[in-house]
């Protein structure tokens, strides 16, 4: 079906091709990054600093000034003949000096620093290993513009819905696990600059001295900022004597929890712990503390992501088996889990990116059959519509237009 | 395998003129391995030629072959298709430059020389874009790469048919129901009678001429083909109008883009920058290149399914297994022999058999697996239809010529019916042609239909 088809007068493929032949990095249409430095922050977190090109800067300045704290980039990395797309949180804000710029270079690099962006990557899959260990300096990769709603704007809209005429700023609590700390620096910096009261809880196995330095600097400037770095193997750092997140720990922070917006980013275990802890805290007026939570739920926080082959989804989602037919490829397979994983189990490669319903790369048209979205629980209609294979399971036999 | 006679030699050298019945194979199929030894012209199949056990074993072997290739895909294949794309772009740019410059040449000889060179290069570029790049990418053969542009969801080729329409009529209908009369609309394209399963009508006398028209305007036929099919396919659907409206709008938008680019914008740019003669050389070059591409793609595609020994199926077996499906694809397709560049220019559709059993395998692998496919075919006594381009094309034209004439019974039936002065069993239904008024009566019915659905 020609749903929404419009012929491109000048084909994007052509523009992209000619553009990259004229200059691999400069482009008027495609945002690109060039790797300029790599910093080991701990043994399993590596920061990558990239220079941005003109298209990147132009496209973000169209919307707001630079990016919001907490946003991420979709990087497209070409490894062994396959383009992989992954999301990585941006560390810090556009004008924010990061730890390596503290000393001598800070004055000199004011200009160039405006044109860089930094991400932190935990090597745990094909792409993150390539980015942290193999990709040579000065390599150019394609990127999206900064994306995502794990931002202060989002927090404001979500709590203000409850009390629309409330002008005072809510306190903010940031809960991070492991590499889930990466979006927090930008968010917290932006929040403090806007006058919020901020608390940070970071649970991790290893120390991150660079980040610690950054937090210390911030709390020197802003007295409203408090941070707690909890190391799994160091009982002295535990909050309220607890190794993991607990209700007592949250209460010991002395925050007005009912009005506090909670930002969380980390492994599924951490998030589960957070939800368990908040369920033990009773708020007045029948409000639920869990409604105050905003989660960043993409790739780099999931430990078993893309190396572990999605055991997480596989184990929890065994359903009745149905036949899926790819009508353009004349191939069929049985599916008792998500369509994407089932196809891969049958040796069929389908387009995908994040595998969690975020990046939309797996989106395709369903001709017939009923599918269920495992994130929203929504059951689809029986007819022709666009679906994502990574988060849908077959409820009946399904025909896809692939 | 070696003991078997080579199937490659021309079957048509000594045609065996058997009286054409509805189903010559029907009497002696059911597992009898007689297909390859018995040379019936224009064979029709009514039952699965192999037993279930045999076709299942065949499927196991072919699946293993498929898996072996698909597991081996990697950066070489990615480089290959990107190199093909680069070749398409560079040859097109150079060709368009040459065509524009041709009008500025001083001597007549250099004008013609430059124009010829430019036109050939543009034809080459368009053929490559249509076949090795467009056809194969739009089949999803390179979707595993997840390339941002060279994938079946995004790529659109340089012909008037929009990608999604072609993917419906070709990827889905043609490749699923290959060679089944009434299901695969590529059997004759609603225009030409290619089997005696299709009833003869008086207008079939002009099929040689219709074929020539089809060949010259092949991209247009491909473009409107899906409109014609979809009107029937969705006839009972409540969304018929919505679906057809989307398709018609897509089609006319694409036609606008293609015609606008080749016949308006580029000649106009040449006229403004280099003068009127450059505009003329650009316009004529574009026209010629499009026509050359049409003729070439027509020839290659018709050789794929309309050679003398291409088997036509009368109906879809209700419990057709994957193995039976493989058999149908093998029997219905025919290969063309040639060298490496010939294969690339045909988009490797010269390996039509391999393409039809593995439509989503990157086509550059077909040549390598062809010997194995052939060996498997011999093992199961299935004919592996291949031959030189000239042989296959002669057979195609022979077939169209043959079926443009009625058989004895059909002629008699026609005589008796025409006495009653009706043509009820026309397979090219043109009932609304009488109602058309004004200029639109010069348009083919399918075009009128498409225009009617725009609103």
């Amino acid at each position: 079906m020609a749903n929404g088809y419009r012929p491109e007068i000048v084909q994007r493929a052509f523009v992209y091709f000619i553009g990259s032949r004229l200059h691999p990095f400069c482009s008027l249409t495609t945002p690109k990054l060039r790797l300029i430095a790599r910093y080991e922050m701990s043994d399993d977190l590596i920061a990558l600093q990239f220079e941005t090109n003109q298209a990147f800067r132009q496209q973000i300045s169209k919307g707001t000034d630079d990016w919001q704290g907490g946003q991420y980039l979709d990087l497209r990395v070409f490894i062994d003949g396959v383009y992989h797309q992954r999301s990585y949180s941006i560390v810090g804000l556009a004008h924010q000096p990061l730890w390596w710029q503290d000393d001598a270079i800070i004055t000199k690099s004011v200009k160039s620093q405006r044109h860089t962006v930094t991400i932190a990557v935990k090597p745990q899959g094909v792409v993150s290993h390539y980015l942290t260990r193999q990709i040579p300096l000065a390599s150019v990769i394609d990127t999206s513009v900064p994306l995502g709603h794990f931002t202060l704007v989002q927090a404001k809209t979500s709590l203000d819905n409850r009390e629309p005429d409330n002008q005072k700023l809510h306190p903010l609590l940031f809960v991070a696990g492991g590499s889930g700390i990466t979006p927090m620096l930008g968010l917290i910096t932006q929040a403090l600059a806007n006058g919020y009261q901020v608390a940070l809880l970071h649970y991790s196995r290893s120390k991150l001295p660079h980040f610690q330095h950054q937090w210390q600097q911030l709390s020197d400037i802003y007295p409203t900022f408090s941070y707690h770095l909890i190391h799994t193997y160091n009982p002295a750092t535990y909050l309220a004597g607890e190794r993991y997140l607990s209700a007592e720990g949250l209460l010991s922070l002395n925050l007005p929890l009912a009005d506090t917006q909670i930002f969380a980013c980390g492994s599924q275990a951490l998030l589960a712990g957070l939800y368990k802890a908040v369920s033990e805290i009773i708020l007045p007026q029948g409000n639920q503390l869990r409604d105050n939570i905003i989660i960043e739920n993409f790739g780099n926080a999931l430990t078993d992501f893309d190396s572990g082959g999605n055991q997480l989804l596989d184990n929890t989602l065994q359903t009745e088996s149905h036949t899926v037919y790819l009508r353009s490829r004349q191939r069929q397979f049985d599916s008792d889990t998500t369509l994407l994983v089932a196809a891969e189990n049958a040796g069929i490669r389908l387009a995908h990116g994040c595998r969690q319903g975020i990046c939309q790369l797996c989106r395709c048209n369903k001709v017939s059959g009923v599918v269920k979205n495992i994130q929203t629980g929504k059951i689809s209609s029986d007819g022709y519509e666009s679906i994502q294979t990574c988060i849908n399971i077959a409820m009946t036999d399904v025909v896809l237009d692939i | 395998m070696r003991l078997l006679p080579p199937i490659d030699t021309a079957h048509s050298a000594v045609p065996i003129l058997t009286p054409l019945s509805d189903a010559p194979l029907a009497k002696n199929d059911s597992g009898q391995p007689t297909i390859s030894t018995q040379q019936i012209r224009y064979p029709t199949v009514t039952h699965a030629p192999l037993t279930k056990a045999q076709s299942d074993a065949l499927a196991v072997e072919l699946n293993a072959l498929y898996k072996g290739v698909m597991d081996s895909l990697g950066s070489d294949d990615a480089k290959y298709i990107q190199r093909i794309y680069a070749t398409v772009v560079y040859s097109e740019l150079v060709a368009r430059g040459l065509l524009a410059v041709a009008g500025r040449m001083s001597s007549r000889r250099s004008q013609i020389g430059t124009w010829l060179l430019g036109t050939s290069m543009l034809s080459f570029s368009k053929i490559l874009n249509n076949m090795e790049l467009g056809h194969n990418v739009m089949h999803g053969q390179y979707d595993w790469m997840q390339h941002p542009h060279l994938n079946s969801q995004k790529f659109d080729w340089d012909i008037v048919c929009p990608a999604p329409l072609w993917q419906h009529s070709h990827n889905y209908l043609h490749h699923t129901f290959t060679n089944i009369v009434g299901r695969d609309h590529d059997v004759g394209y609603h225009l030409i009678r290619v089997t005696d399963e299709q009833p003869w009508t008086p207008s079939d006398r002009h099929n040689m001429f219709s074929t020539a028209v089809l060949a010259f305007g092949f991209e247009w036929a491909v473009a409107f083909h899906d409109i014609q099919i979809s009107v029937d396919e969705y006839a009972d659907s409540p969304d018929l109008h919505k679906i057809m409206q989307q398709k018609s709008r897509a089609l006319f938008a694409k036609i606008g883009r293609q015609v606008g680019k080749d016949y308006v914008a580029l000649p106009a740019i040449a006229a403004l920058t280099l003068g009127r003669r450059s505009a003329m050389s650009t316009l004529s070059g574009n026209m010629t290149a499009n026509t050359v591409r049409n003729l070439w793609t027509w020839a290659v595609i018709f050789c794929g399914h309309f050679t003398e020994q291409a088997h036509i199926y009368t109906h879809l077996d209700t419990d057709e297994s994957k193995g039976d499906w493989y058999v149908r694809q093998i029997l219905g397709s025919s290969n063309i022999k040639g060298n490496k560049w010939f294969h690339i220019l045909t988009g490797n559709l010269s390996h039509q058999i391999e393409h039809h059993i593995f439509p989503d395998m990157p086509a550059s692998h077909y040549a390598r697996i062809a010997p194995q496919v052939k060996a498997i075919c011999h093992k199961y006594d299935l004919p592996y239809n291949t031959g030189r381009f000239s042989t296959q094309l002669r057979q195609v034209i022979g077939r169209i010529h043959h079926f443009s004439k009625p058989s004895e019974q059909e002629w008699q039936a026609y005589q008796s019916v025409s006495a009653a002065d009706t043509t009820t069993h026309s397979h090219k239904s043109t009932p609304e042609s009488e109602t058309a008024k004004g200029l639109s009566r010069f348009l083919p019915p399918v075009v009128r239909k498409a225009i009617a659905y725009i609103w």
Side-chain angles (χ1 to χ4, degrees), chain A residues 17-73:
Chain A
F17 174 82
I18 295 294
S20 60
R21 292 300 148 116
L22 289 177
H23 197 286
F25 180 59
C26 297
S27 168
L28 294 175
T29 51
T30 317
K32 291 180 188 187
L33 301 177
R34 177 156 59 194
L35 183 63
I36 50 177
R38 209 177 341 224
Y39 306 91
E40 300 255 343
M41 304 174 71
S42 73
D43 46 356
D44 67 348
L45 196 62
I46 287 127
L48 302 170
Q49 192 186 16
F50 295 98
E51 182 184 354
T52 59
N53 73 351
Q54 199 189 346
F56 184 92
R57 295 193 294 271
Q58 257 175 3
Q59 290 180 23
I60 56 176
S61 59
K62 251 185 235 161
T64 54
D65 295 335
D66 302 313
W67 59 85
Q68 300 290 312
Q71 288 195 307
Y72 63 88
L73 296 174

Side-chain angles (χ1 to χ4, degrees), chain B residues 266-337:
Chain B
L266 291 173
I269 292 170
L272 291 174
T273 53
L274 296 167
R276 198 173 53 85
R277 282 172 36 157
S278 284
M280 287 316 291
S281 61
T282 301
L283 183 66
S284 56
N286 291 349
M287 229 170 234
T288 313
N290 278 333
T291 309
V292 168
R293 190 260 327 274
N294 285 351
L295 290 172
W296 174 255
T297 48
W298 168 83
V300 170
I301 287 160
F302 266 52
C303 282
H305 295 291
F306 303 138
T307 55
E308 192 186 285
Q309 288 303 312
H311 290 56
I312 301 287
Y313 279 65
T314 53
H315 62 278
L316 177 62
D317 209 339
T318 42
D319 60 340
E320 186 180 69
S321 64
K322 182 78 178 177
D324 298 332
W325 182 84
Y326 277 136
V327 171
R328 181 155 56 83
Q329 303 301 332
I330 292 168
L331 292 181
S333 310
S334 42
N335 284 6
I336 311 170
K337 288 179 176 172

Side-chain angles (χ1 to χ4, degrees), chain B residues 126-173:
Chain B
K126 279 174 178 280
I127 285 172
L128 208 55
N129 177 302
N130 194 159
M131 303 300 258
E132 183 67 3
L133 182 67
H135 173 273
N136 293 342
V137 166
M138 286 157 64
H139 255 293
Q141 293 178 0
Y142 295 91
D143 280 5
W144 54 271
M145 273 177 71
Q146 313 212 104
H147 190 283
H149 303 290
L150 300 181
N151 65 62
S152 62
Q153 308 290 314
K154 299 263 175 63
F155 189 81
D156 201 0
W157 50 3
D158 188 33
I159 76 168
V160 292
C161 183
L165 268 64
W166 180 79
Q167 285 169 328
H168 173 254
S169 66
H170 180 88
N171 283 3
Y172 167 47
L173 290 172

Side-chain angles (χ1 to χ4, degrees), chain A residues 1 3 5 7-9 11 13-14 16-17 21 76 80-83 325 327-331 349 351-352, chain B residues 66 70 78 82 85-86 90 145-148 156 162 164 168 171-172 175-176 246 250 254 257 322 359-360:
Chain A
M1 201 178 292
N3 227 334
Y5 169 88
E8 297 172 316
I9 301 300
Q11 293 192 330
F14 177 78
Y16 176 83
F17 174 82
R21 292 300 148 116
R76 193 188 299 124
D80 285 340
V82 179
Y83 287 86
Y325 181 66
R327 76 170 191 183
S328 286
R329 295 200 196 172
Q330 287 83 45
R331 308 208 76 79
R349 297 203 233 183
H352 67 268
Chain B
Y66 174 79
M70 295 310 271
Q82 285 171 314
Y85 186 78
Y90 289 141
M145 273 177 71
Q146 313 212 104
H147 190 283
D156 201 0
H168 173 254
N171 283 3
Y172 167 47
H175 273 272
T176 310
Q246 282 173 344
K254 185 72 191 288
R257 191 245 177 202
K322 182 78 178 177
D360 60 349

